[in-house]
Amino acid sequence: MTTGSLMLAADQAASITAIATEAGVDRRTVYRRSASREELLAVIHEARLAATERPTKETRLREAPVTVALHHCAECLIEATAPGRST
């Protein structure tokens, strides 16, 4: 899914075949998880949404100092939206 996310971020017209090739798997493997390109996009979107919800819940703005909470939230969002990039 990371390969698909990165490729679709760079080229929204990337094909399932291109994504599978870049990931080093057969396109049938991709189609087993997602029946269509649109479904793959939906799965990626849902995974990203779930990943960005975590920092919001963990921020604890009411308990931590605002600057600390926002720093933590920003780190988590960067981690969630930039696979392979560390903070």
Side-chain angles (χ1 to χ4, degrees):
M1 189 167 21
T2 300
T3 300
S5 294
L6 294 173
M7 288 188 70
L8 289 167
D11 177 11
Q12 292 183 353
S15 68
I16 294 288
T17 301
I19 292 168
T21 300
E22 183 69 22
V25 299
D26 191 277
R27 68 186 178 91
R28 291 175 292 192
T29 301
V30 177
Y31 277 116
R32 271 189 224 118
R33 295 182 179 207
S34 303
S36 68
R37 188 174 175 287
E38 290 73 25
E39 189 175 313
L40 177 62
L41 286 169
V43 168
I44 290 169
H45 175 74
E46 288 297 321
R48 286 285 176 95
L49 183 60
T52 58
E53 285 177 344
R54 182 180 60 88
T56 304
K57 291 177 183 174
E58 291 180 1
T59 298
R60 301 182 348 225
L61 278 174
R62 293 176 195 249
E63 298 141 23
V66 173
T67 55
V68 172
L70 290 175
H71 179 80
H72 177 70
C73 186
E75 284 181 334
C76 291
L77 287 171
I78 290 168
E79 182 180 315
T81 59
R85 181 178 173 184
S86 60
T87 54

